[in-house]
């Protein structure tokens, strides 16, 4: 059994436990629409992982075509975005700058995916659903003042730098392209690790529950971006960080619900 299958099995086990915890959370009063959306999102990614595992066992080493697992991932992004917005009262126009920035980053990511894979339909739909999550996160984070302005500006600058460096790999000589690719991997992993550490710190310190939710979801979104732009050891590390984010998101939602009770 290869390491990627072991990692996938580990994520499946974590997702099953998180889904069980979310169902229990739904059983407590008051009923939370946010938790319901989150439960369906976890169910979607769990089914996606199970499909991928079955395919990899039946056809090892074969590239997976456009399939049901993609639909599960799109559902996950859309439902996580809906979970964030279910408690949001901020008007979209009031967060237009943040939303436009998030949409532009998602569009740039989708363009890079298309350039790498050539799968237009799959990558455009993934970009749209992932972009919805980023936009929802941007609106909710502004309402909750989840990040200090300096942190927001730093991550915005890192996003611009990442897109520029990834784009440059298509035009740079081979040696320079390898160096840029390594730089992007370090940038992605360090950014995701920083976001995850921030979410953990927020939960440990019992910061404002809404801000904690935003930080946990931001760590997950960063992990997904790292996975979609990486391969090999970097992909495996991003998968581990992303798996850690699922119980983090559940813990943040539970804290938010407890505070609202």
């Amino acid at each position: 059994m290869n390491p990627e299958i072991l990692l996938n099995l580990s994520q499946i086990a974590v997702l099953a436990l998180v889904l069980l915890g979310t169902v229990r959370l739904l059983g407590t009063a008051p009923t939370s629409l946010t938790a319901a959306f989150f439960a369906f999102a976890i169910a979607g990614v769990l089914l996606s992982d199970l499909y991928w595992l079955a395919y990899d066992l039946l056809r090892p080493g074969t590239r997976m075509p456009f399939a049901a697992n993609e639909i599960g991932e799109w559902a996950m992004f859309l439902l996580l975005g809906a979970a964030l917005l279910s408690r949001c009262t901020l008007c979209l126009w009031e967060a237009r700058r943040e939303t436009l920035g998030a949409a532009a980053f998602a569009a740039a990511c989708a363009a890079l995916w298309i350039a790498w894979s050539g799968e237009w339909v799959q990558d455009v739909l993934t970009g749209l659903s992932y972009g919805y999550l980023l936009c929802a996160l941007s609106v909710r984070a502004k309402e909750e003042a989840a990040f200090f302005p300096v942190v927001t500006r730093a991550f915005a600058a890192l996003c611009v730098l990442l897109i520029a460096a990834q784009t440059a790999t298509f035009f740079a000589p081979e040696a320079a392209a390898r160096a840029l690719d390594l730089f992007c991997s370090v940038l992605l992993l360090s950014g995701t690790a920083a976001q995850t550490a921030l979410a953990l710190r927020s939960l440990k310190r019992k910061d404002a529950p809404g801000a904690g939710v935003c930080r946990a979801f931001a760590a997950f979104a960063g992990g997904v971006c790292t996975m979609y732009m990486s391969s090999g050891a970097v992909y495996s590390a991003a998968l581990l960080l992303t798996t850690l984010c699922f119980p983090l998101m559940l813990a943040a939602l539970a804290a938010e619900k407890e505070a609202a009770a």
Side-chain angles (χ1 to χ4, degrees), residues 118-143:
E119 297 171 346
W120 279 82
V121 175
Q122 176 180 323
D123 292 334
V124 167
L125 291 175
T126 301
L128 287 171
S129 55
Y130 181 63
Y132 176 76
L133 171 59
L134 293 183
C135 290
L137 178 58
S138 298
V139 174
R140 180 71 188 279
K142 180 167 184 177
E143 181 179 64

mmCIF file with all atom_site columns, all heavy atoms in Angstrom, residues 118-143:
data_model
loop_
_atom_site.group_PDB
_atom_site.id
_atom_site.type_symbol
_atom_site.label_atom_id
_atom_site.label_alt_id
_atom_site.label_comp_id
_atom_site.label_asym_id
_atom_site.label_entity_id
_atom_site.label_seq_id
_atom_site.pdbx_PDB_ins_code
_atom_site.Cartn_x
_atom_site.Cartn_y
_atom_site.Cartn_z
_atom_site.occupancy
_atom_site.B_iso_or_equiv
_atom_site.pdbx_formal_charge
_atom_site.auth_seq_id
_atom_site.auth_comp_id
_atom_site.auth_asym_id
_atom_site.auth_atom_id
_atom_site.pdbx_PDB_model_num
ATOM 1   N N   . GLY A 1 118 ? -4.852  21.253 -18.629 1.00 0.00 ? 118 GLY A N   1
ATOM 2   C CA  . GLY A 1 118 ? -5.613  21.345 -19.865 1.00 0.00 ? 118 GLY A CA  1
ATOM 3   C C   . GLY A 1 118 ? -7.062  20.917 -19.724 1.00 0.00 ? 118 GLY A C   1
ATOM 4   O O   . GLY A 1 118 ? -7.787  20.817 -20.715 1.00 0.00 ? 118 GLY A O   1
ATOM 5   N N   . GLU A 1 119 ? -7.522  20.696 -18.482 1.00 0.00 ? 119 GLU A N   1
ATOM 6   C CA  . GLU A 1 119 ? -8.899  20.245 -18.242 1.00 0.00 ? 119 GLU A CA  1
ATOM 7   C C   . GLU A 1 119 ? -9.782  21.464 -17.954 1.00 0.00 ? 119 GLU A C   1
ATOM 8   O O   . GLU A 1 119 ? -10.018 21.825 -16.797 1.00 0.00 ? 119 GLU A O   1
ATOM 9   C CB  . GLU A 1 119 ? -8.922  19.242 -17.089 1.00 0.00 ? 119 GLU A CB  1
ATOM 10  C CG  . GLU A 1 119 ? -8.132  17.973 -17.411 1.00 0.00 ? 119 GLU A CG  1
ATOM 11  C CD  . GLU A 1 119 ? -7.968  17.062 -16.205 1.00 0.00 ? 119 GLU A CD  1
ATOM 12  O OE1 . GLU A 1 119 ? -8.226  17.517 -15.069 1.00 0.00 ? 119 GLU A OE1 1
ATOM 13  O OE2 . GLU A 1 119 ? -7.577  15.905 -16.400 1.00 0.00 ? 119 GLU A OE2 1
ATOM 14  N N   . TRP A 1 120 ? -10.287 22.084 -18.992 1.00 0.00 ? 120 TRP A N   1
ATOM 15  C CA  . TRP A 1 120 ? -10.992 23.352 -18.872 1.00 0.00 ? 120 TRP A CA  1
ATOM 16  C C   . TRP A 1 120 ? -12.245 23.249 -18.007 1.00 0.00 ? 120 TRP A C   1
ATOM 17  O O   . TRP A 1 120 ? -12.416 24.021 -17.056 1.00 0.00 ? 120 TRP A O   1
ATOM 18  C CB  . TRP A 1 120 ? -11.368 23.858 -20.259 1.00 0.00 ? 120 TRP A CB  1
ATOM 19  C CG  . TRP A 1 120 ? -10.250 24.549 -20.962 1.00 0.00 ? 120 TRP A CG  1
ATOM 20  C CD1 . TRP A 1 120 ? -9.224  23.956 -21.659 1.00 0.00 ? 120 TRP A CD1 1
ATOM 21  C CD2 . TRP A 1 120 ? -10.010 25.959 -21.033 1.00 0.00 ? 120 TRP A CD2 1
ATOM 22  N NE1 . TRP A 1 120 ? -8.371  24.896 -22.156 1.00 0.00 ? 120 TRP A NE1 1
ATOM 23  C CE2 . TRP A 1 120 ? -8.822  26.143 -21.793 1.00 0.00 ? 120 TRP A CE2 1
ATOM 24  C CE3 . TRP A 1 120 ? -10.675 27.071 -20.539 1.00 0.00 ? 120 TRP A CE3 1
ATOM 25  C CZ2 . TRP A 1 120 ? -8.309  27.409 -22.058 1.00 0.00 ? 120 TRP A CZ2 1
ATOM 26  C CZ3 . TRP A 1 120 ? -10.176 28.337 -20.805 1.00 0.00 ? 120 TRP A CZ3 1
ATOM 27  C CH2 . TRP A 1 120 ? -8.994  28.493 -21.553 1.00 0.00 ? 120 TRP A CH2 1
ATOM 28  N N   . VAL A 1 121 ? -13.139 22.341 -18.335 1.00 0.00 ? 121 VAL A N   1
ATOM 29  C CA  . VAL A 1 121 ? -14.426 22.267 -17.629 1.00 0.00 ? 121 VAL A CA  1
ATOM 30  C C   . VAL A 1 121 ? -14.215 21.984 -16.147 1.00 0.00 ? 121 VAL A C   1
ATOM 31  O O   . VAL A 1 121 ? -14.757 22.666 -15.274 1.00 0.00 ? 121 VAL A O   1
ATOM 32  C CB  . VAL A 1 121 ? -15.328 21.190 -18.265 1.00 0.00 ? 121 VAL A CB  1
ATOM 33  C CG1 . VAL A 1 121 ? -16.617 21.031 -17.462 1.00 0.00 ? 121 VAL A CG1 1
ATOM 34  C CG2 . VAL A 1 121 ? -15.659 21.550 -19.713 1.00 0.00 ? 121 VAL A CG2 1
ATOM 35  N N   . GLN A 1 122 ? -13.421 20.973 -15.852 1.00 0.00 ? 122 GLN A N   1
ATOM 36  C CA  . GLN A 1 122 ? -13.164 20.586 -14.463 1.00 0.00 ? 122 GLN A CA  1
ATOM 37  C C   . GLN A 1 122 ? -12.538 21.728 -13.673 1.00 0.00 ? 122 GLN A C   1
ATOM 38  O O   . GLN A 1 122 ? -12.969 22.045 -12.557 1.00 0.00 ? 122 GLN A O   1
ATOM 39  C CB  . GLN A 1 122 ? -12.249 19.362 -14.446 1.00 0.00 ? 122 GLN A CB  1
ATOM 40  C CG  . GLN A 1 122 ? -11.814 18.918 -13.065 1.00 0.00 ? 122 GLN A CG  1
ATOM 41  C CD  . GLN A 1 122 ? -10.913 17.696 -13.138 1.00 0.00 ? 122 GLN A CD  1
ATOM 42  O OE1 . GLN A 1 122 ? -11.119 16.807 -13.970 1.00 0.00 ? 122 GLN A OE1 1
ATOM 43  N NE2 . GLN A 1 122 ? -9.917  17.649 -12.282 1.00 0.00 ? 122 GLN A NE2 1
ATOM 44  N N   . ASP A 1 123 ? -11.533 22.365 -14.248 1.00 0.00 ? 123 ASP A N   1
ATOM 45  C CA  . ASP A 1 123 ? -10.811 23.403 -13.513 1.00 0.00 ? 123 ASP A CA  1
ATOM 46  C C   . ASP A 1 123 ? -11.618 24.693 -13.371 1.00 0.00 ? 123 ASP A C   1
ATOM 47  O O   . ASP A 1 123 ? -11.527 25.383 -12.349 1.00 0.00 ? 123 ASP A O   1
ATOM 48  C CB  . ASP A 1 123 ? -9.472  23.688 -14.196 1.00 0.00 ? 123 ASP A CB  1
ATOM 49  C CG  . ASP A 1 123 ? -8.502  22.530 -14.083 1.00 0.00 ? 123 ASP A CG  1
ATOM 50  O OD1 . ASP A 1 123 ? -8.629  21.758 -13.114 1.00 0.00 ? 123 ASP A OD1 1
ATOM 51  O OD2 . ASP A 1 123 ? -7.628  22.381 -14.956 1.00 0.00 ? 123 ASP A OD2 1
ATOM 52  N N   . VAL A 1 124 ? -12.416 25.028 -14.379 1.00 0.00 ? 124 VAL A N   1
ATOM 53  C CA  . VAL A 1 124 ? -13.258 26.219 -14.278 1.00 0.00 ? 124 VAL A CA  1
ATOM 54  C C   . VAL A 1 124 ? -14.311 26.031 -13.187 1.00 0.00 ? 124 VAL A C   1
ATOM 55  O O   . VAL A 1 124 ? -14.539 26.926 -12.349 1.00 0.00 ? 124 VAL A O   1
ATOM 56  C CB  . VAL A 1 124 ? -13.933 26.528 -15.631 1.00 0.00 ? 124 VAL A CB  1
ATOM 57  C CG1 . VAL A 1 124 ? -15.052 27.554 -15.450 1.00 0.00 ? 124 VAL A CG1 1
ATOM 58  C CG2 . VAL A 1 124 ? -12.905 27.069 -16.617 1.00 0.00 ? 124 VAL A CG2 1
ATOM 59  N N   . LEU A 1 125 ? -14.959 24.866 -13.151 1.00 0.00 ? 125 LEU A N   1
ATOM 60  C CA  . LEU A 1 125 ? -15.982 24.617 -12.144 1.00 0.00 ? 125 LEU A CA  1
ATOM 61  C C   . LEU A 1 125 ? -15.373 24.541 -10.742 1.00 0.00 ? 125 LEU A C   1
ATOM 62  O O   . LEU A 1 125 ? -15.975 25.015 -9.768  1.00 0.00 ? 125 LEU A O   1
ATOM 63  C CB  . LEU A 1 125 ? -16.742 23.326 -12.467 1.00 0.00 ? 125 LEU A CB  1
ATOM 64  C CG  . LEU A 1 125 ? -17.634 23.392 -13.712 1.00 0.00 ? 125 LEU A CG  1
ATOM 65  C CD1 . LEU A 1 125 ? -18.245 22.040 -14.013 1.00 0.00 ? 125 LEU A CD1 1
ATOM 66  C CD2 . LEU A 1 125 ? -18.741 24.434 -13.518 1.00 0.00 ? 125 LEU A CD2 1
ATOM 67  N N   . THR A 1 126 ? -14.185 23.946 -10.649 1.00 0.00 ? 126 THR A N   1
ATOM 68  C CA  . THR A 1 126 ? -13.501 23.919 -9.352  1.00 0.00 ? 126 THR A CA  1
ATOM 69  C C   . THR A 1 126 ? -13.134 25.328 -8.908  1.00 0.00 ? 126 THR A C   1
ATOM 70  O O   . THR A 1 126 ? -13.308 25.698 -7.742  1.00 0.00 ? 126 THR A O   1
ATOM 71  C CB  . THR A 1 126 ? -12.229 23.056 -9.429  1.00 0.00 ? 126 THR A CB  1
ATOM 72  O OG1 . THR A 1 126 ? -12.573 21.719 -9.811  1.00 0.00 ? 126 THR A OG1 1
ATOM 73  C CG2 . THR A 1 126 ? -11.514 23.006 -8.077  1.00 0.00 ? 126 THR A CG2 1
ATOM 74  N N   . GLY A 1 127 ? -12.648 26.138 -9.850  1.00 0.00 ? 127 GLY A N   1
ATOM 75  C CA  . GLY A 1 127 ? -12.306 27.515 -9.535  1.00 0.00 ? 127 GLY A CA  1
ATOM 76  C C   . GLY A 1 127 ? -13.509 28.322 -9.073  1.00 0.00 ? 127 GLY A C   1
ATOM 77  O O   . GLY A 1 127 ? -13.412 29.121 -8.131  1.00 0.00 ? 127 GLY A O   1
ATOM 78  N N   . LEU A 1 128 ? -14.661 28.105 -9.698  1.00 0.00 ? 128 LEU A N   1
ATOM 79  C CA  . LEU A 1 128 ? -15.871 28.830 -9.315  1.00 0.00 ? 128 LEU A CA  1
ATOM 80  C C   . LEU A 1 128 ? -16.323 28.450 -7.910  1.00 0.00 ? 128 LEU A C   1
ATOM 81  O O   . LEU A 1 128 ? -16.669 29.320 -7.094  1.00 0.00 ? 128 LEU A O   1
ATOM 82  C CB  . LEU A 1 128 ? -16.990 28.551 -10.320 1.00 0.00 ? 128 LEU A CB  1
ATOM 83  C CG  . LEU A 1 128 ? -16.851 29.223 -11.689 1.00 0.00 ? 128 LEU A CG  1
ATOM 84  C CD1 . LEU A 1 128 ? -17.916 28.692 -12.651 1.00 0.00 ? 128 LEU A CD1 1
ATOM 85  C CD2 . LEU A 1 128 ? -16.975 30.738 -11.562 1.00 0.00 ? 128 LEU A CD2 1
ATOM 86  N N   . SER A 1 129 ? -16.327 27.143 -7.616  1.00 0.00 ? 129 SER A N   1
ATOM 87  C CA  . SER A 1 129 ? -16.780 26.707 -6.294  1.00 0.00 ? 129 SER A CA  1
ATOM 88  C C   . SER A 1 129 ? -15.778 27.090 -5.206  1.00 0.00 ? 129 SER A C   1
ATOM 89  O O   . SER A 1 129 ? -16.166 27.532 -4.119  1.00 0.00 ? 129 SER A O   1
ATOM 90  C CB  . SER A 1 129 ? -17.041 25.198 -6.286  1.00 0.00 ? 129 SER A CB  1
ATOM 91  O OG  . SER A 1 129 ? -15.892 24.480 -6.722  1.00 0.00 ? 129 SER A OG  1
ATOM 92  N N   . TYR A 1 130 ? -14.488 26.950 -5.508  1.00 0.00 ? 130 TYR A N   1
ATOM 93  C CA  . TYR A 1 130 ? -13.454 27.364 -4.552  1.00 0.00 ? 130 TYR A CA  1
ATOM 94  C C   . TYR A 1 130 ? -13.492 28.879 -4.358  1.00 0.00 ? 130 TYR A C   1
ATOM 95  O O   . TYR A 1 130 ? -13.329 29.381 -3.235  1.00 0.00 ? 130 TYR A O   1
ATOM 96  C CB  . TYR A 1 130 ? -12.090 26.917 -5.064  1.00 0.00 ? 130 TYR A CB  1
ATOM 97  C CG  . TYR A 1 130 ? -10.925 27.266 -4.152  1.00 0.00 ? 130 TYR A CG  1
ATOM 98  C CD1 . TYR A 1 130 ? -10.833 26.734 -2.877  1.00 0.00 ? 130 TYR A CD1 1
ATOM 99  C CD2 . TYR A 1 130 ? -9.911  28.115 -4.587  1.00 0.00 ? 130 TYR A CD2 1
ATOM 100 C CE1 . TYR A 1 130 ? -9.761  27.053 -2.045  1.00 0.00 ? 130 TYR A CE1 1
ATOM 101 C CE2 . TYR A 1 130 ? -8.831  28.428 -3.769  1.00 0.00 ? 130 TYR A CE2 1
ATOM 102 C CZ  . TYR A 1 130 ? -8.768  27.895 -2.507  1.00 0.00 ? 130 TYR A CZ  1
ATOM 103 O OH  . TYR A 1 130 ? -7.706  28.206 -1.681  1.00 0.00 ? 130 TYR A OH  1
ATOM 104 N N   . GLY A 1 131 ? -13.726 29.608 -5.430  1.00 0.00 ? 131 GLY A N   1
ATOM 105 C CA  . GLY A 1 131 ? -13.842 31.055 -5.340  1.00 0.00 ? 131 GLY A CA  1
ATOM 106 C C   . GLY A 1 131 ? -15.016 31.484 -4.476  1.00 0.00 ? 131 GLY A C   1
ATOM 107 O O   . GLY A 1 131 ? -14.922 32.475 -3.733  1.00 0.00 ? 131 GLY A O   1
ATOM 108 N N   . TYR A 1 132 ? -16.119 30.739 -4.544  1.00 0.00 ? 132 TYR A N   1
ATOM 109 C CA  . TYR A 1 132 ? -17.263 31.055 -3.686  1.00 0.00 ? 132 TYR A CA  1
ATOM 110 C C   . TYR A 1 132 ? -16.884 30.923 -2.218  1.00 0.00 ? 132 TYR A C   1
ATOM 111 O O   . TYR A 1 132 ? -17.248 31.778 -1.392  1.00 0.00 ? 132 TYR A O   1
ATOM 112 C CB  . TYR A 1 132 ? -18.425 30.118 -4.011  1.00 0.00 ? 132 TYR A CB  1
ATOM 113 C CG  . TYR A 1 132 ? -19.622 30.301 -3.099  1.00 0.00 ? 132 TYR A CG  1
ATOM 114 C CD1 . TYR A 1 132 ? -20.489 31.384 -3.255  1.00 0.00 ? 132 TYR A CD1 1
ATOM 115 C CD2 . TYR A 1 132 ? -19.879 29.392 -2.071  1.00 0.00 ? 132 TYR A CD2 1
ATOM 116 C CE1 . TYR A 1 132 ? -21.576 31.559 -2.407  1.00 0.00 ? 132 TYR A CE1 1
ATOM 117 C CE2 . TYR A 1 132 ? -20.956 29.566 -1.220  1.00 0.00 ? 132 TYR A CE2 1
ATOM 118 C CZ  . TYR A 1 132 ? -21.804 30.645 -1.402  1.00 0.00 ? 132 TYR A CZ  1
ATOM 119 O OH  . TYR A 1 132 ? -22.867 30.824 -0.555  1.00 0.00 ? 132 TYR A OH  1
ATOM 120 N N   . LEU A 1 133 ? -16.148 29.878 -1.877  1.00 0.00 ? 133 LEU A N   1
ATOM 121 C CA  . LEU A 1 133 ? -15.690 29.711 -0.501  1.00 0.00 ? 133 LEU A CA  1
ATOM 122 C C   . LEU A 1 133 ? -14.796 30.867 -0.075  1.00 0.00 ? 133 LEU A C   1
ATOM 123 O O   . LEU A 1 133 ? -14.957 31.420 1.021   1.00 0.00 ? 133 LEU A O   1
ATOM 124 C CB  . LEU A 1 133 ? -14.943 28.380 -0.353  1.00 0.00 ? 133 LEU A CB  1
ATOM 125 C CG  . LEU A 1 133 ? -14.213 28.157 0.989   1.00 0.00 ? 133 LEU A CG  1
ATOM 126 C CD1 . LEU A 1 133 ? -15.187 28.210 2.160   1.00 0.00 ? 133 LEU A CD1 1
ATOM 127 C CD2 . LEU A 1 133 ? -13.460 26.826 0.970   1.00 0.00 ? 133 LEU A CD2 1
ATOM 128 N N   . LEU A 1 134 ? -13.863 31.262 -0.940  1.00 0.00 ? 134 LEU A N   1
ATOM 129 C CA  . LEU A 1 134 ? -12.955 32.362 -0.603  1.00 0.00 ? 134 LEU A CA  1
ATOM 130 C C   . LEU A 1 134 ? -13.717 33.678 -0.433  1.00 0.00 ? 134 LEU A C   1
ATOM 131 O O   . LEU A 1 134 ? -13.415 34.466 0.473   1.00 0.00 ? 134 LEU A O   1
ATOM 132 C CB  . LEU A 1 134 ? -11.883 32.511 -1.683  1.00 0.00 ? 134 LEU A CB  1
ATOM 133 C CG  . LEU A 1 134 ? -10.878 31.372 -1.821  1.00 0.00 ? 134 LEU A CG  1
ATOM 134 C CD1 . LEU A 1 134 ? -9.846  31.714 -2.900  1.00 0.00 ? 134 LEU A CD1 1
ATOM 135 C CD2 . LEU A 1 134 ? -10.175 31.079 -0.506  1.00 0.00 ? 134 LEU A CD2 1
ATOM 136 N N   . CYS A 1 135 ? -14.691 33.923 -1.290  1.00 0.00 ? 135 CYS A N   1
ATOM 137 C CA  . CYS A 1 135 ? -15.480 35.160 -1.180  1.00 0.00 ? 135 CYS A CA  1
ATOM 138 C C   . CYS A 1 135 ? -16.304 35.160 0.105   1.00 0.00 ? 135 CYS A C   1
ATOM 139 O O   . CYS A 1 135 ? -16.377 36.185 0.805   1.00 0.00 ? 135 CYS A O   1
ATOM 140 C CB  . CYS A 1 135 ? -16.398 35.305 -2.394  1.00 0.00 ? 135 CYS A CB  1
ATOM 141 S SG  . CYS A 1 135 ? -15.519 35.678 -3.931  1.00 0.00 ? 135 CYS A SG  1
ATOM 142 N N   . ALA A 1 136 ? -16.934 34.023 0.417   1.00 0.00 ? 136 ALA A N   1
ATOM 143 C CA  . ALA A 1 136 ? -17.711 33.924 1.651   1.00 0.00 ? 136 ALA A CA  1
ATOM 144 C C   . ALA A 1 136 ? -16.814 34.133 2.868   1.00 0.00 ? 136 ALA A C   1
ATOM 145 O O   . ALA A 1 136 ? -17.182 34.827 3.825   1.00 0.00 ? 136 ALA A O   1
ATOM 146 C CB  . ALA A 1 136 ? -18.397 32.564 1.725   1.00 0.00 ? 136 ALA A CB  1
ATOM 147 N N   . LEU A 1 137 ? -15.627 33.543 2.818   1.00 0.00 ? 137 LEU A N   1
ATOM 148 C CA  . LEU A 1 137 ? -14.669 33.695 3.909   1.00 0.00 ? 137 LEU A CA  1
ATOM 149 C C   . LEU A 1 137 ? -14.236 35.154 4.057   1.00 0.00 ? 137 LEU A C   1
ATOM 150 O O   . LEU A 1 137 ? -14.112 35.669 5.177   1.00 0.00 ? 137 LEU A O   1
ATOM 151 C CB  . LEU A 1 137 ? -13.461 32.801 3.652   1.00 0.00 ? 137 LEU A CB  1
ATOM 152 C CG  . LEU A 1 137 ? -12.316 32.844 4.664   1.00 0.00 ? 137 LEU A CG  1
ATOM 153 C CD1 . LEU A 1 137 ? -12.799 32.490 6.063   1.00 0.00 ? 137 LEU A CD1 1
ATOM 154 C CD2 . LEU A 1 137 ? -11.194 31.911 4.226   1.00 0.00 ? 137 LEU A CD2 1
ATOM 155 N N   . SER A 1 138 ? -14.035 35.835 2.945   1.00 0.00 ? 138 SER A N   1
ATOM 156 C CA  . SER A 1 138 ? -13.612 37.239 2.979   1.00 0.00 ? 138 SER A CA  1
ATOM 157 C C   . SER A 1 138 ? -14.673 38.128 3.618   1.00 0.00 ? 138 SER A C   1
ATOM 158 O O   . SER A 1 138 ? -14.367 39.006 4.439   1.00 0.00 ? 138 SER A O   1
ATOM 159 C CB  . SER A 1 138 ? -13.309 37.727 1.559   1.00 0.00 ? 138 SER A CB  1
ATOM 160 O OG  . SER A 1 138 ? -12.251 37.005 0.990   1.00 0.00 ? 138 SER A OG  1
ATOM 161 N N   . VAL A 1 139 ? -15.933 37.895 3.236   1.00 0.00 ? 139 VAL A N   1
ATOM 162 C CA  . VAL A 1 139 ? -17.028 38.694 3.789   1.00 0.00 ? 139 VAL A CA  1
ATOM 163 C C   . VAL A 1 139 ? -17.171 38.449 5.288   1.00 0.00 ? 139 VAL A C   1
ATOM 164 O O   . VAL A 1 139 ? -17.262 39.390 6.089   1.00 0.00 ? 139 VAL A O   1
ATOM 165 C CB  . VAL A 1 139 ? -18.352 38.374 3.061   1.00 0.00 ? 139 VAL A CB  1
ATOM 166 C CG1 . VAL A 1 139 ? -19.518 39.096 3.729   1.00 0.00 ? 139 VAL A CG1 1
ATOM 167 C CG2 . VAL A 1 139 ? -18.266 38.757 1.603   1.00 0.00 ? 139 VAL A CG2 1
ATOM 168 N N   . ARG A 1 140 ? -17.168 37.163 5.668   1.00 0.00 ? 140 ARG A N   1
ATOM 169 C CA  . ARG A 1 140 ? -17.349 36.830 7.093   1.00 0.00 ? 140 ARG A CA  1
ATOM 170 C C   . ARG A 1 140 ? -16.161 37.317 7.926   1.00 0.00 ? 140 ARG A C   1
ATOM 171 O O   . ARG A 1 140 ? -16.331 37.809 9.045   1.00 0.00 ? 140 ARG A O   1
ATOM 172 C CB  . ARG A 1 140 ? -17.505 35.313 7.230   1.00 0.00 ? 140 ARG A CB  1
ATOM 173 C CG  . ARG A 1 140 ? -17.705 34.822 8.660   1.00 0.00 ? 140 ARG A CG  1
ATOM 174 C CD  . ARG A 1 140 ? -19.063 35.194 9.221   1.00 0.00 ? 140 ARG A CD  1
ATOM 175 N NE  . ARG A 1 140 ? -19.160 34.873 10.632  1.00 0.00 ? 140 ARG A NE  1
ATOM 176 C CZ  . ARG A 1 140 ? -19.424 33.649 11.112  1.00 0.00 ? 140 ARG A CZ  1
ATOM 177 N NH1 . ARG A 1 140 ? -19.645 32.635 10.287  1.00 0.00 ? 140 ARG A NH1 1
ATOM 178 N NH2 . ARG A 1 140 ? -19.509 33.463 12.414  1.00 0.00 ? 140 ARG A NH2 1
ATOM 179 N N   . ALA A 1 141 ? -14.953 37.196 7.387   1.00 0.00 ? 141 ALA A N   1
ATOM 180 C CA  . ALA A 1 141 ? -13.759 37.634 8.119   1.00 0.00 ? 141 ALA A CA  1
ATOM 181 C C   . ALA A 1 141 ? -13.783 39.135 8.346   1.00 0.00 ? 141 ALA A C   1
ATOM 182 O O   . ALA A 1 141 ? -13.361 39.621 9.402   1.00 0.00 ? 141 ALA A O   1
ATOM 183 C CB  . ALA A 1 141 ? -12.497 37.234 7.359   1.00 0.00 ? 141 ALA A CB  1
ATOM 184 N N   . LYS A 1 142 ? -14.291 39.890 7.369   1.00 0.00 ? 142 LYS A N   1
ATOM 185 C CA  . LYS A 1 142 ? -14.380 41.339 7.560   1.00 0.00 ? 142 LYS A CA  1
ATOM 186 C C   . LYS A 1 142 ? -15.401 41.677 8.641   1.00 0.00 ? 142 LYS A C   1
ATOM 187 O O   . LYS A 1 142 ? -15.166 42.549 9.480   1.00 0.00 ? 142 LYS A O   1
ATOM 188 C CB  . LYS A 1 142 ? -14.764 42.026 6.243   1.00 0.00 ? 142 LYS A CB  1
ATOM 189 C CG  . LYS A 1 142 ? -14.867 43.538 6.412   1.00 0.00 ? 142 LYS A CG  1
ATOM 190 C CD  . LYS A 1 142 ? -14.941 44.277 5.101   1.00 0.00 ? 142 LYS A CD  1
ATOM 191 C CE  . LYS A 1 142 ? -14.934 45.788 5.357   1.00 0.00 ? 142 LYS A CE  1
ATOM 192 N NZ  . LYS A 1 142 ? -14.930 46.562 4.105   1.00 0.00 ? 142 LYS A NZ  1
ATOM 193 N N   . GLU A 1 143 ? -16.526 40.988 8.621   1.00 0.00 ? 143 GLU A N   1
ATOM 194 C CA  . GLU A 1 143 ? -17.543 41.254 9.633   1.00 0.00 ? 143 GLU A CA  1
ATOM 195 C C   . GLU A 1 143 ? -17.032 40.940 11.038  1.00 0.00 ? 143 GLU A C   1
ATOM 196 O O   . GLU A 1 143 ? -17.312 41.670 11.989  1.00 0.00 ? 143 GLU A O   1
ATOM 197 C CB  . GLU A 1 143 ? -18.799 40.436 9.354   1.00 0.00 ? 143 GLU A CB  1
ATOM 198 C CG  . GLU A 1 143 ? -19.911 40.689 10.355  1.00 0.00 ? 143 GLU A CG  1
ATOM 199 C CD  . GLU A 1 143 ? -21.160 39.898 10.047  1.00 0.00 ? 143 GLU A CD  1
ATOM 200 O OE1 . GLU A 1 143 ? -21.101 38.653 10.099  1.00 0.00 ? 143 GLU A OE1 1
ATOM 201 O OE2 . GLU A 1 143 ? -22.196 40.524 9.761   1.00 0.00 ? 143 GLU A OE2 1
#
